[in-house]
């Protein structure tokens, strides 16, 4: 029981060290200022998404599937 507990604590500690080590390069340069994205061209059927999915673009893409799967 004590061996299992010691192994699990050691595994958790090693995992934590590995995750912190992997994340260290992200913090190396300090804070990064990101400009707002350009959303001026987001008004076509592929980007209008009232349900979280571009509905009209999805319908258009699904209509093209049979033509691409079946040889003509």
């Amino acid at each position: 029981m004590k061996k299992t507990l010691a192994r699990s604590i050691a595994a958790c500690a090693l995992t934590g060290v590995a995750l912190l080590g992997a994340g260290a390069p992200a913090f190396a340069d300090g804070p990064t200022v990101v400009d707002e994205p350009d959303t001026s061209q987001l008004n076509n059927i592929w980007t209008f998404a009232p349900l979280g999915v571009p509905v009209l673009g999805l319908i258009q893409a699904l209509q093209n599937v049979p033509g691409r799967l079946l040889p003509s």
Side-chain angles (χ1 to χ4, degrees):
M1 178 72 180
K2 287 184 181 183
K3 255 188 186 179
T4 306
L5 183 61
R7 286 181 183 173
S8 63
I9 290 174
C12 289
L14 288 175
T15 303
V17 168
L19 289 176
L20 286 175
F27 301 115
D29 294 336
T32 303
V33 177
V34 178
D35 198 13
E36 291 185 15
D38 179 22
T39 57
S40 61
Q41 299 295 322
L42 296 179
N43 55 2
N44 61 22
I45 63 172
W46 293 100
T47 57
F48 175 69
L51 303 175
V53 176
V55 179
L56 299 174
L58 179 65
I59 292 171
Q60 186 180 25
L62 290 176
Q63 286 176 344
N64 294 334
V65 168
R68 292 182 180 165
L69 290 178
L70 301 173
S72 57

